[in-house]
Amino acid sequence: MSRAAVVFAGGDPSRHEDLGGLPADALVIAADSGAVHAVALGWPVHVLVGDLDSVPAALVEQLAAGGTEVVRHPRAKDHTDLALALALAVEAGASRVTVVGGHGGRLDHLLANVLLLGSDELAAVDVDARMGPSRLTVVRRERELWGAPGDRKSTRLNSSHIT
């Protein structure tokens, strides 16, 4: 049986209507300010990870008091908060990970997040993202994609070229 994880990232908040079909029984990990988005959307946060410089201290305390595991890292670190959250999902045995958010704000952050999703560190898991109304699916070997007639599909990105 596969274990699913949903990772809430920072950036622009997502909307309820963009999150249909996510597994309600997933392990929910919030990367720093992703906790704000998760709570606003009514999702439980099982683990909060990052340097916690973008999440209100009162929310951190509220989540910790409610049983959320808080994994705090120093601000000077080698990995982004999202990378730390994804590593936790893999360590927890997730075979499917869906990232919610990570879009909006700064272009350099968006590009870094998209490239992170296709990194070798995540090669053993199926990775998807819900970035606003857009969906991103990382295809390494074979994946089944769903859509409706007229839906747009994106281009392909890998480490050697963009087509």
Side-chain angles (χ1 to χ4, degrees), residues 18 54 74:
D18 297 328
S54 301

Side-chain angles (χ1 to χ4, degrees), residues 80-103:
T80 66
D81 295 327
L82 179 56
L84 296 169
L86 291 167
L88 282 176
V90 171
E91 288 171 21
S95 58
R96 294 179 297 129
V97 178
T98 302
V99 174
V100 175
H103 63 290

